Amino acid sequence: MKRKILWLVLAAVLVALAGCGGGSDRPVLETTIASDLNVDGDIFEPLNGDPRIVAQGSTVLTGVTSTGEYRGFLSFPLNAIPLDAFIHSATLTFTLVPPTDDIPLEMELVSFQPSSGLLPSYYEEGLTVYASSLYTLPAPNAFNQVSFNVTSLMREAQRRGFDDFQLRVLENRDFNVQGLVELSESNLTPPKLVVVYD
């Protein structure tokens, strides 16, 4: 009888110890991913009803002017992040091209084939929005850089198994103010996504 009790106590201790691990044994890693400058761009919808204009170049524009609205698109390949990774945090940093207006931003998680390029319909009806977050444009640092916590958007992209982390960036729809945010798309200062994961 005593032997049976000892075995039960030992089994209980082993079960308790097995549950104390508290997570993955994999190391926590950090990786920085530059956006795909061949995919990034913006789409302009004129107020006068002219066709939408797709532009890809040294900057990405977001915001509203007296003649129409710009919506920016950023794409980050996720091939460096394992599909079963747990995302601890994700931070998006881009360099502003002064002068930039202080407008509220909305970032929407979307998905499209990079090989297709940007299509005019991606401005609105051509894409499904899987998640979105609202942001106040912070004051840039000495290098004209601003950063945003996009962890919730990155986790959703990871949950859905997307090959790329793609954002449509626009002025917050709850506001109607004129102003433009201009993001640098140079090889020296591309938008960057920093992901911490295990």
Side-chain angles (χ1 to χ4, degrees):
M1 184 67 173
K2 287 182 180 179
R3 182 173 293 177
K4 186 179 287 187
I5 292 173
L6 285 174
W7 278 112
L8 289 173
V9 170
L10 179 60
V13 169
L14 290 175
V15 168
L17 288 175
C20 289
S24 171
D25 290 332
R26 296 184 298 192
V28 175
L29 303 173
E30 177 180 300
T31 188
T32 299
I33 306 168
S35 68
D36 189 338
L37 302 183
N38 295 316
V39 178
D40 295 356
D42 55 62
I43 301 174
F44 177 66
E45 182 176 72
L47 289 175
N48 63 10
D50 285 345
R52 293 169 179 163
I53 301 168
V54 176
Q56 293 174 287
S58 61
T59 62
V60 169
L61 296 175
T62 293
V64 176
T65 70
S66 60
T67 58
E69 181 177 355
Y70 292 87
R71 294 183 176 180
F73 293 80
L74 302 175
S75 183
F76 301 85
L78 295 179
N79 51 304
I81 311 291
L83 284 176
D84 64 343
F86 174 77
I87 306 300
H88 290 273
S89 67
T91 303
L92 171 63
T93 298
F94 47 72
T95 301
L96 301 176
V97 179
T100 288
D101 295 304
D102 183 15
I103 65 171
L105 297 177
E106 187 166 347
M107 296 189 196
E108 299 175 329
L109 177 67
V110 295
S111 182
F112 58 91
Q113 289 298 322
S115 59
S116 71
L118 294 179
L119 303 178
S121 64
Y122 291 174
Y123 176 89
E124 182 64 38
E125 70 280 356
L127 292 176
T128 298
V129 176
Y130 297 95
S132 66
S133 292
L134 304 178
Y135 299 92
T136 300
L137 189 69
N141 64 18
F143 303 99
N144 287 319
Q145 294 176 329
V146 291
S147 296
F148 302 89
N149 184 333
V150 293
T151 305
S152 63
L153 300 177
M154 179 61 202
R155 284 177 175 167
E156 183 64 16
Q158 182 76 358
R159 188 182 74 81
R160 292 180 176 274
F162 289 163
D163 293 329
D164 301 273
F165 180 67
Q166 296 171 325
L167 297 174
R168 179 167 59 193
V169 186
L170 58 147
E171 181 178 307
N172 183 343
R173 291 183 175 91
D174 292 335
F175 291 81
N176 186 19
V177 295
Q178 289 191 14
L180 285 179
V181 173
E182 190 170 357
L183 318 181
S184 174
E185 281 281 299
S186 81
N187 287 317
L188 294 177
T189 56
K192 292 181 179 179
L193 179 69
V194 177
V195 184
V196 178
Y197 66 95
D198 70 19

